[in-house]
Amino acid sequence: MSKVPRLSPHLDARFGNTTQEVLLINLAFGTRILAQEDSWDKLQALQNGDADLSDKWLERAHRARLVLTGEEDWPDFVHRMDLSMREYISSHTGEVLEAAADREELLNRLARTEKLYREHSMPQPYQGPAEHVGPLMTKPVRLVDFIFDHCRAFLEHDLEDQSEDLDVHLVKLFFDRPALKLRYEQQFCIPRTTQLRARRIIDALKPGSRVLVLGDDDLVGLALVEMTDTLQVDILELDADLVAFLKERSNNRFTILEHNLRHGVPDSMKDKYDAVTTDPPYADDGMRFFLECAKTSLKKNDESRLFLSTFPGLLESPEKFWSDLDELGLHILQQQNHFSRYVYNNMYRVQHLAAFRHLGSPINPTTDLIGFPFLYAHFFECGLKVD
Ligand SMILES: C[S@@+](CC[C@H](N)C(=O)[O-])C[C@H]1O[C@@H](n2cnc3c(N)ncnc32)[C@H](O)[C@@H]1O
């Protein structure tokens, strides 16, 4: 390693094939390495700037892209995407293009591809019975908006991300979390997103503030109490496994209750909180009752805050989200786009590609365009209008 190494901001960990086996993963590159007993300590030492850089396991972690020096080549899917865009541009303009030399060139190429795609390759709205398909099939322009937006977000914010602030301790604390459950619409964000969200919330609130987390597969409640002891945190969550996991780690630093928000918040929690944080479901109905629960539990004053993560472009109906916020008296004070990252898993990718194909878009460059690793969501800080 010739330059000073740092830990990738996209580090995560999972169980391997056995419960003894821990895989450390770079989510942006899709690369992984088996952890050894002392790997966490070595990664922590690296973050503290006192690692032994001649260590063999750290060398391997560097080759697996957990440890970065800033001199690494791009992930393979970026090269494939570049090639696919060159071929696509060439097929429409006859121009012959060299491989992109830098990120700016990739971004320009993506803009050209997007323009041509919207002229020549748009999926056509599904014409069959609307109850059989989702909103992206009947309005596939939303699918196109989403893939170009997320692809651009990855190239702009993540491809060469040099941040060095990942909290290894949180990654370790989160790694044996319960598996994701689709029936509860779970889709947890990557550890660094949880860390940054918790930081935003801590920085915005006064010591002693009461915070309610509505649904916590993102483990923001846990991060909040790990990162500060000045907030009082309560969590409401439906998933019994997640509740058990969080209870085990709570050490009485937060209260967690197994509860279905479809029934509203318990009476004892109404008008009690200085802040609520949530990452609600993307279906209209789920979004509505999560927002109602948020509003009901907030203290009725204009200092109360809702910290909300969502991506309007992928909601069942974005217009309903804006009108729900308005009706409930929640107004946006700050918005940070592409703040949250979630693994874009192959199940969703295959579904999206099947939709493109079915609606008449070409397999190339679509397949390579949807090779980006993260789904993104915006972060909204909302205030409450009080009469
Ligand atoms: C709704 S999910 C996250 C959805 C995510 N933003 C997405 O991409 O679809 C957030 C959390 O809410 C929990 N949850 C889902 N339905 C719930 C309900 N009715 N009551 C309480 N928690 C619920 C989930 O278990 C999860 O931990």
Side-chain angles (χ1 to χ4, degrees):
M1 284 180 264
S2 55
K3 286 206 175 166
V4 180
R6 65 198 162 80
L7 203 53
S8 163
H10 303 123
L11 179 75
D12 202 357
R14 298 273 185 278
F15 280 126
N17 292 330
T18 68
T19 43
Q20 278 81 46
E21 228 173 60
V22 178
L23 288 170
L24 293 163
I25 310 170
N26 181 323
L27 297 170
F29 279 81
T31 45
R32 53 193 58 207
I33 180 175
L34 272 181
Q36 297 175 343
E37 205 131 282
D38 52 359
S39 296
W40 290 110
D41 294 339
K42 289 180 180 173
L43 295 177
Q44 186 62 65
L46 191 92
Q47 280 305 69
N48 300 343
D50 52 19
D52 169 10
L53 297 182
S54 63
D55 181 84
K56 291 283 172 246
W57 184 83
L58 279 180
E59 291 270 348
R60 297 215 318 277
H62 178 226
R63 284 200 293 280
R65 303 291 182 251
L66 300 187
V67 172
L68 304 173
T69 61
E71 295 169 316
E72 292 74 21
D73 190 11
W74 293 331
D76 289 348
F77 82 86
V78 174
H79 291 295
R80 285 199 299 277
M81 188 176 76
D82 183 34
L83 177 62
S84 206
M85 292 195 296
R86 278 151 55 202
E87 288 174 354
Y88 182 70
I89 294 170
S90 170
S91 71
H92 287 286
T93 66
E95 234 177 291
V96 177
L97 297 165
E98 298 285 315
D102 56 26
R103 194 173 57 120
E104 286 319 303
E105 203 167 2
L106 270 179
L107 281 162
N108 289 337
R109 213 159 267 182
L110 183 68
R112 290 189 69 192
T113 304
E114 178 170 4
K115 188 163 181 295
L116 290 168
Y117 200 95
R118 289 182 188 275
E119 283 164 13
H120 302 281
S121 303
M122 286 302 275
Q124 297 306 305
Y126 175 79
Q127 299 295 349
E131 65 270 21
H132 294 158
V133 295
L136 296 181
M137 289 290 276
T138 49
K139 284 198 186 148
V141 65
R142 292 180 55 192
L143 208 48
V144 176
D145 295 344
F146 142 67
I147 63 159
F148 283 102
D149 179 81
H150 280 42
C151 199
R152 189 174 305 109
F154 177 78
L155 299 181
E156 274 180 6
H157 306 300
D158 287 295
L159 180 61
E160 293 175 354
D161 186 354
Q162 303 286 326
S163 48
E164 297 177 11
D165 57 0
L166 182 71
D167 185 342
V168 183
H169 167 70
L170 285 186
V171 181
K172 187 177 178 193
L173 195 68
F174 292 176
F175 100 90
D176 54 350
R177 65 204 301 165
L180 176 156
K181 291 191 186 67
L182 287 178
R183 66 180 177 282
Y184 298 141
E185 299 182 59
Q186 293 175 352
Q187 166 86 340
F188 51 76
C189 59
I190 72 171
R192 183 156 178 272
T193 292
T194 303
Q195 179 188 336
L196 295 182
R197 262 197 231 159
R199 174 51 51 209
R200 281 285 294 260
I201 295 169
I202 293 166
D203 289 348
L205 298 179
K206 293 188 190 123
S209 295
R210 289 195 68 181
V211 184
L212 177 63
V213 186
L214 296 177
D216 201 16
D217 60 341
D218 292 334
L219 310 180
V220 174
L222 184 53
L224 283 172
V225 297
E226 288 291 321
M227 291 165 66
T228 178
D229 54 8
T230 65
L231 300 176
Q232 294 180 58
V233 178
D234 295 335
I235 304 173
L236 292 177
E237 169 59 57
L238 182 58
D239 177 357
D241 294 331
L242 195 51
V243 169
F245 171 85
L246 286 166
K247 272 198 176 143
E248 219 178 82
R249 279 156 183 72
S250 79
N251 292 331
N252 296 322
R253 293 171 303 168
F254 55 77
T255 311
I256 169 144
L257 201 64
E258 186 179 331
H259 178 79
N260 190 342
L261 293 169
R262 210 170 260 286
H263 307 312
V265 287
D267 284 345
S268 61
M269 292 177 144
K270 290 180 179 162
D271 302 335
K272 290 286 190 305
Y273 292 89
D274 302 290
V276 170
T277 179
T278 187
D279 192 335
Y282 278 31
D284 285 349
D285 157 54
M287 172 63 81
R288 176 73 194 201
F289 72 75
F290 267 64
L291 290 178
E292 281 172 356
C293 287
K295 186 210 167 116
T296 319
S297 48
L298 283 172
K299 288 180 186 164
K300 301 296 169 280
N301 70 53
D302 53 18
E303 290 194 359
S304 291
R305 291 289 177 267
L306 168 63
F307 299 98
L308 175 71
S309 182
T310 196
F311 188 76
L314 285 176
L315 294 177
E316 183 181 356
S317 40
E319 324 74 51
K320 182 147 188 334
F321 168 65
W322 303 118
S323 64
D324 279 351
L325 280 182
D326 199 44
E327 252 177 52
L328 293 168
L330 295 161
H331 59 104
I332 295 168
L333 299 168
Q334 285 192 57
Q335 171 173 346
Q336 193 165 338
N337 288 350
H338 307 112
F339 184 93
S340 297
R341 286 146 181 77
Y342 311 77
V343 170
Y344 184 21
N345 64 42
N346 271 339
M347 182 188 67
Y348 290 132
R349 205 175 267 121
V350 167
Q351 278 173 8
H352 291 149
L353 187 61
F356 274 108
R357 296 291 314 275
H358 186 82
L359 303 175
S361 287
I363 193 147
N364 295 317
T366 317
T367 316
D368 291 313
L369 284 173
I370 64 172
F372 53 82
F374 300 126
L375 295 173
Y376 293 85
H378 303 334
F379 190 68
F380 300 91
E381 180 175 341
C382 304
L384 188 62
K385 278 189 207 123
V386 270
D387 317 312

